[in-house]
Amino acid sequence: EVHPLVRKELGDVEVNVYGKNPPESLRVFEGNGVKLRGYAADLADVYNPARLSIAPLRYGAGVKGKVGESLSWGVPIVTTDIGAEGMGLEDRHTALIANSPEEFARAIVDGMRDDELWERLATAGERHIQEIMGVPRLHQDLAAAFDFAGITRV
C-alpha cells in the first residue's frame, strides 16, 4: 500500500528488506524497487548506506529492538504508533510516526527529501536511544538495583 505512493513521489527509490529466512509469501513483493536481502552478517552493511529505516508495525508491545537498533546507528526511522510505543519517541523530533498508508508514505518522502529534518531526526533519535538504552543508562540502572538490594559496589 505504501511503496507505490512513495514511488509516485520519489521515482525509483529502493527498499531493502533484511531478515533471516524471509518467508516465501514475501517474494511476491520483490521487484519494482523492493529487494529481499535476507540475513546480514554485518549491520554496518545495512545501516551505513541507509537514509531511513522503516518499521510499519501493526502489533506488538514494549520496546521494539529493530527501532532502537536503527536509532542507535543514527538512522532515522519511520514507524507507527505501535512501533513507537514503549520507546518514548516523538513524531518529527526523534522519529517519524504515521499510521495510514498515506501518512506513512508522506513521512518516508519527507525523510528522504528534507535534509534538515533528516539531520534533526538522526541526531535526536540517536541521543534519545542512548539516554534510555545506552551503556551509561545501563550503569545507572544497575547501580540503582544494587543500592536497592543493599549490595555494596566496589
Side-chain angles (χ1 to χ4, degrees):
E1 294 175 88
V2 173
H3 193 58
L5 300 173
V6 172
R7 286 177 62 92
K8 188 181 291 187
E9 292 281 329
L10 298 178
D12 292 335
V13 66
E14 187 173 280
V15 175
N16 294 294
V17 180
Y18 289 91
K20 189 175 181 178
N21 301 322
E24 281 301 313
S25 60
L26 289 182
R27 298 273 175 223
V28 299
F29 297 109
E30 272 191 300
N32 294 322
V34 176
K35 296 185 179 182
L36 298 182
R37 301 288 188 181
Y39 174 76
D42 187 348
L43 291 178
D45 294 336
V46 175
Y47 290 109
N48 286 343
R51 171 79 175 188
L52 292 174
S53 179
I54 57 174
L57 301 174
R58 295 181 184 199
Y59 57 89
V63 173
K64 313 309 184 299
K66 296 301 180 192
V67 172
E69 182 179 274
S70 178
L71 296 174
S72 74
W73 280 85
V75 177
I77 193 156
V78 181
T79 192
T80 59
D81 284 334
I82 298 295
E85 183 182 64
M87 303 291 293
L89 299 176
E90 296 177 52
D91 186 34
R92 302 189 81 78
H93 177 66
T94 50
L96 293 170
I97 303 171
N99 294 294
S100 73
E102 295 78 16
E103 290 172 347
F104 210 86
R106 173 54 39 210
I108 291 169
V109 169
D110 289 350
M112 294 294 287
R113 284 188 173 157
D114 187 335
D115 291 337
E116 184 179 311
L117 173 65
W118 184 92
E119 185 64 40
R120 187 172 69 246
L121 290 169
T123 301
E126 186 174 7
R127 182 175 46 246
H128 175 73
I129 209 65
Q130 287 304 317
E131 288 171 0
I132 67 167
M133 299 177 82
V135 172
R137 178 60 186 259
L138 173 64
H139 289 172
Q140 177 186 350
D141 290 350
L142 284 173
F146 287 159
D147 289 345
F148 180 78
I151 299 170
T152 303
R153 291 177 272 141
V154 179

